[in-house]
């Protein structure tokens, strides 16, 4: 079976993808934790621990990037933070590039990301970035529109009693989320 390194932004987002890939029996899945975009640090730890719990419950192997790398994230968005789209594209690229490099280093056949599950992310742009990196690093980017499992993922994450966060990750997204909630 081929080996797939799956960048994992959080446990609730991997649930349905993981089950779907297990059923397809085409790839052996390993998660990859690299998310310096999650702020503040307490929130980062909480999401990391939730993935740890999920990996134990489901026997999902995970490669953990233990360092936080907050400075690296700030470096890539420093000229872009005023424009949400540019900020998010840089953020996707940083995380996907780390995944492609790790996949190459650890001799995986393919890499992908749970960001493809979210209805709130720029899906086509994520696909485009993944395909470009696949070309640069000479490794397959596994693409599937995982948004199809959106409802199933919510059901599974609730069933497993996983912590479900209220905002994407960075401090900007936290403000955007609660500003919008306040406006409503
Ligand atoms: S909103 Fe999400 S994708 Fe965009 S920069 Fe913040 S953490 Fe990254």
């Amino acid at each position: 079976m081929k080996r797939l390194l799956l960048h994992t932004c959080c446990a609730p987002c991997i649930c349905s993808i993981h089950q779907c890939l297990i059923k397809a029996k085409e790839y052996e899945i390993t998660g990859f934790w690299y998310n310096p975009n999650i702020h503040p640090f307490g929130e980062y730890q909480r999401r990391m621990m939730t993935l740890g719990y999920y990996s134990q419950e489901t026997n999902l192997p995970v490669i953990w990037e233990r360092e936080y790398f907050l400075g690296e994230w700030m470096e890539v968005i420093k000229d872009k933070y005023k424009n949400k789209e540019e900020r998010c594209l840089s953020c996707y690229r940083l995380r996907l590039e780390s995944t492609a490099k790790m996949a190459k280093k650890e001799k995986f056949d393919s890499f992908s990301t749970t960001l493809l599950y979210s209805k709130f992310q720029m899906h086509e742009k994520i696909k485009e970035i993944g395909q470009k990196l696949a070309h640069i690093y000479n490794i397959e980017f596994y693409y599937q529109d995982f948004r199809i499992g959106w409802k199933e993922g919510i059901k599974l994450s609730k069933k497993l009693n996983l912590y479900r966060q209220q905002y994407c990750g960075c401090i900007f997204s936290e403000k955007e989320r609660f500003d919008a909630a306040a406006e409503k």
Side-chain angles (χ1 to χ4, degrees):
M1 212 188 281
K2 291 205 277 182
R3 294 170 69 232
L4 170 67
L5 186 65
L6 183 62
H7 164 257
T8 306
C9 62
C10 62
C13 283
I14 199 175
C15 291
S16 71
I17 299 179
H18 187 204
Q19 297 312 314
C20 156
L21 292 171
I22 287 174
K23 273 185 209 145
K25 292 186 179 159
E26 202 187 334
Y27 286 90
E28 189 185 289
I29 315 301
T30 298
F32 178 50
W33 175 261
Y34 173 80
N35 296 297
N37 58 307
I38 301 172
H39 317 141
F41 188 56
E43 176 72 18
Y44 172 85
Q45 287 179 309
R46 191 169 185 191
R47 295 190 199 183
M48 184 165 73
M49 282 190 294
T50 307
L51 179 61
Y53 169 77
Y54 176 83
S55 79
Q56 275 180 355
E57 290 295 300
T58 61
N59 293 320
L60 170 77
V62 176
I63 296 178
W64 301 94
E65 193 58 89
R66 296 277 176 191
E67 237 186 279
Y68 189 24
F69 290 115
L70 177 61
E72 281 76 355
W73 185 84
M74 289 171 78
E75 187 62 33
V76 298
I77 63 111
K78 72 172 191 280
D79 302 321
K80 322 256 171 67
Y81 72 93
K82 287 183 183 160
N83 179 308
K84 184 180 184 305
E85 182 167 336
E86 284 185 25
R87 180 187 83 213
C88 293
L89 293 180
S90 302
C91 179
Y92 297 153
R93 183 171 172 113
L94 177 70
R95 289 183 282 162
L96 280 169
E97 187 157 21
S98 292
T99 312
K101 282 182 183 169
M102 181 60 80
K104 194 75 189 168
K105 182 171 154 242
E106 297 298 328
K107 302 189 170 28
F108 282 83
D109 300 290
S110 186
F111 74 102
S112 193
T113 175
T114 54
L115 293 169
L116 292 169
Y117 163 80
S118 176
K119 281 178 158 183
F120 300 110
Q121 305 293 348
M122 291 178 275
H123 190 91
E124 290 304 319
K125 298 282 185 191
I126 295 166
K127 180 180 173 187
E128 215 175 275
I129 292 170
Q131 287 170 339
K132 277 189 190 152
L133 290 168
H135 185 68
I136 295 169
Y137 290 96
N138 192 26
I139 181 165
E140 177 191 70
F141 175 67
Y142 180 88
Y143 172 75
Q144 197 176 323
D145 189 348
F146 293 120
R147 291 174 297 186
I148 202 160
W150 181 255
K151 283 191 183 152
E152 186 59 23
I154 294 173
K155 248 201 295 190
L156 276 169
S157 64
K158 286 185 176 169
K159 194 173 159 198
L160 287 166
N161 210 15
L162 300 177
Y163 164 60
R164 296 171 45 78
Q165 65 271 5
Q166 297 296 302
Y167 59 98
C168 183
C170 66
I171 207 71
F172 301 104
S173 65
E174 194 247 13
K175 179 179 180 293
E176 287 153 7
R177 164 69 175 80
F178 292 108
D179 251 8
E183 266 173 36
K184 270 186 205 165

